[in-house]
Amino acid sequence: MSTAKTQPTDANVADFINAATPLKRREDAQVLAQIFAQVTGENPVLWGPSIVGYGQYTFVSPSNPKHTGIWPKTGFSPRKAQQSIYGLKDLPEGAQPAPPAR
């Protein structure tokens, strides 16, 4: 069975955010951290080296059912080039791929 490479870590989220560059990215990440914590009611967890995640869900890959894992329900990554925001996965339907367009 294959699992996702990006996993939750024990790294300190505040230290990670405080090390983000440039300064504007760090400031934006600090505001996002407050908003995500307030809205989700979850504590942040650093996933892999660069994703601040809130909550988690289990997924099964639609293309390879042997590929399963956990992923944050929502989160962000204060990357140097751009801020990346990950969508909310709260209901089981949210973890499934959308049906093909007809």
Side-chain angles (χ1 to χ4, degrees):
M1 176 165 27
S2 174
T3 59
K5 293 179 185 176
T6 303
Q7 296 290 318
T9 71
D10 292 330
N12 185 290
V13 174
D15 289 347
F16 168 71
I17 291 172
N18 290 332
T21 59
L23 176 60
K24 176 68 172 141
R25 189 77 62 235
R26 180 170 49 247
E27 292 169 344
D28 290 346
Q30 291 165 341
V31 171
L32 282 173
Q34 291 174 350
I35 292 169
F36 275 72
Q38 181 181 15
V39 170
T40 67
E42 299 278 352
N43 290 321
V45 173
L46 192 64
W47 287 68
S50 62
I51 298 173
V52 178
Y54 296 82
Q56 69 182 38
Y57 72 100
T58 302
F59 70 86
V60 176
S61 170
S63 62
N64 180 358
K66 292 182 181 180
H67 180 75
T68 64
I70 55 173
W71 194 250
K73 286 184 180 180
T74 191
F76 65 93
S77 181
R79 298 190 174 133
K80 191 170 188 173
Q82 63 190 9
Q83 191 86 252
S84 295
I85 297 179
Y86 297 89
L88 182 61
K89 303 287 186 186
D90 198 21
L91 300 174
E93 303 87 76
Q96 302 299 318
R102 296 183 187 240

